[in-house]
Amino acid sequence: MQTFASWTGNATGDRGAAAAIGNFDGVHLGHRVVIEAARAEAAKRGAPLGILTFEPHPREFFAPDAPPFRLMNAEARANRLAKLGVDHLYELPFDARLAGLSPEAFAREVIVDGLGLSHVVVGADFCFGKGRAGTVEDLVRFGAEMGFGVTAVPLLSNHVGEVSSTSIRHALSEGRPGDAAGMLGHWHRIEGEVLHGDARGRALGFPTANMSIRGLHRPRFGVYAVRVDVLSGPHRGTYDGAASIGIRPMFGENVPNCESYLFDFEGDLYGTHLSVALVEFLRDEAKFDSLNALVVQIDADCTRARAVLAGDLPLPFARD
């Protein structure tokens, strides 16, 4: 997958893609419908399949001090889109210049003159341009005037409800990772680098890989059964485990993080990148009367997590 960080200065040979437009936070099943519609248009034209998205997320630009809400960071989103066979990722910087473009200017300067897209696909609720003033109807009109095709895809619902990033956040906040997975089409994952911690887990007999969740939507704090992909380093592979997400009340911490204990693993993971899939919520985080009581509970958590992960996980998530 080729990534473009600007809508200007791109080579002539990179033009002509059929692209889906959106934020694609989570790359959920609704996003997949939009992407597949773009794939079909790309196939008709013998053109590359593109994704036009923004970094940072527009909500982060307009409300930088708001609570973290993203389901995935830019790296995780790019990894997921690459798995879907996207050819061109247009990850445009969302700044004052882009935010200030009128709907017509966005269509002309970004879609036509900048990227030279042959066709764009959007969700039925798509808005664009300064003040989100542009509608799908405006986009269709600009496409007819400026020479690019437009497809609007209806919003998706399933047995869980409306498939949206907002609904997925609600499910995760309530400790329902299975319902979130039913809307995502894959397990919700926390991805990032393993950071040095205080080694308390190792001292207790359960060494953990610590990761920051800064900038990400916070799932319900507590303990989860997880499936961990080690993405880099000599220990690459997939491991079952248990993870604690929260502020570690036993030790008076107040910065949330994700600590994963990988079953039957020996080795050093510092500096490597992990992708931690939340499979099942086991319990809320708690403060214990003693370290011994904590160790007993961790052992019970691991036993339960092993049982969960040894069972039949609902497809298509078993090996995702």
Side-chain angles (χ1 to χ4, degrees):
M1 184 175 71
Q2 191 173 1
T3 300
F4 302 83
S6 174
W7 72 82
T8 62
N10 298 321
T12 303
D14 294 325
R15 300 171 71 82
I21 306 178
N23 293 309
F24 298 100
D25 188 26
V27 193
H28 56 60
L29 290 175
H31 295 145
R32 291 281 295 272
V33 173
V34 177
I35 293 169
E36 291 309 310
R39 192 190 310 276
E41 292 296 336
K44 287 180 188 177
R45 293 165 170 74
L49 169 62
I51 295 291
L52 196 172
T53 191
F54 311 97
E55 188 62 32
H57 191 292
R59 278 176 58 182
E60 292 177 297
F61 174 81
F62 289 114
D65 298 324
F69 68 92
R70 289 183 67 155
L71 294 171
M72 54 173 46
N73 58 28
E75 179 185 6
R77 180 178 60 190
N79 289 340
R80 179 62 56 180
L81 292 172
K83 286 183 179 180
L84 296 179
V86 172
D87 300 306
H88 291 175
L89 173 59
Y90 307 104
E91 194 176 78
L92 304 188
F94 197 89
D95 53 19
R97 179 186 177 194
L98 187 56
L101 293 177
S102 69
E104 182 174 5
F106 178 87
R108 186 174 302 282
E109 295 183 26
V110 177
I111 294 176
V112 178
D113 295 340
L115 302 178
L117 301 179
S118 61
H119 195 96
V120 298
V121 180
V122 297
D125 60 348
F126 180 69
C127 296
F128 65 105
K130 184 176 181 180
R132 294 174 52 85
T135 64
V136 170
E137 290 74 18
D138 293 324
L139 189 63
V140 170
R141 176 165 54 84
F142 295 144
E145 295 171 356
M146 300 177 192
F148 61 89
V150 178
T151 300
V153 176
L155 300 181
L156 180 67
S157 295
N158 64 12
H159 68 284
V160 179
E162 180 183 298
V163 176
S164 69
S165 298
T166 298
S167 297
I168 293 165
R169 292 185 194 105
H170 286 161
L172 293 170
S173 294
E174 295 171 359
R176 298 185 285 112
D179 286 347
M183 291 180 278
L184 285 163
H186 53 84
W187 296 116
H188 175 67
R189 290 179 173 271
I190 296 171
E191 297 190 15
E193 182 180 355
V194 177
L195 306 174
H196 284 273
D198 48 30
R200 289 196 188 102
R202 185 175 301 279
L204 295 173
F206 298 92
T208 57
N210 302 322
M211 298 162 59
S212 170
I213 60 172
R214 182 178 181 181
L216 298 177
H217 173 76
R218 298 173 181 177
R220 181 175 176 176
F221 285 174
V223 178
Y224 291 80
V226 297
R227 181 149 285 155
V228 181
D229 288 339
V230 179
L231 302 176
S232 63
H235 302 291
R236 287 178 189 235
T238 301
Y239 304 85
D240 287 348
S244 174
I245 299 176
I247 58 173
R248 295 155 287 174
M250 187 73 182
F251 303 103
E253 303 285 351
N254 58 16
V255 178
N257 76 343
C258 175
E259 300 184 14
S260 300
Y261 172 60
L262 281 59
F263 300 151
D264 309 315
F265 175 84
E266 293 184 7
D268 184 351
L269 291 173
Y270 291 125
T272 62
H273 278 69
L274 303 189
S275 177
V276 179
L278 306 187
V279 176
E280 185 168 311
F281 180 80
L282 301 180
R283 66 170 175 86
D284 288 310
E285 65 176 355
K287 186 174 182 178
F288 295 87
D289 293 334
S290 67
L291 288 180
N292 183 63
L294 173 61
V295 169
V296 170
Q297 183 60 60
I298 293 174
D299 189 62
D301 294 337
C302 291
T303 298
R304 185 176 172 194
R306 285 181 184 273
V308 167
L309 296 166
D312 294 327
L313 300 182
L315 296 175
F317 316 120
R319 283 293 143 196
D320 179 70

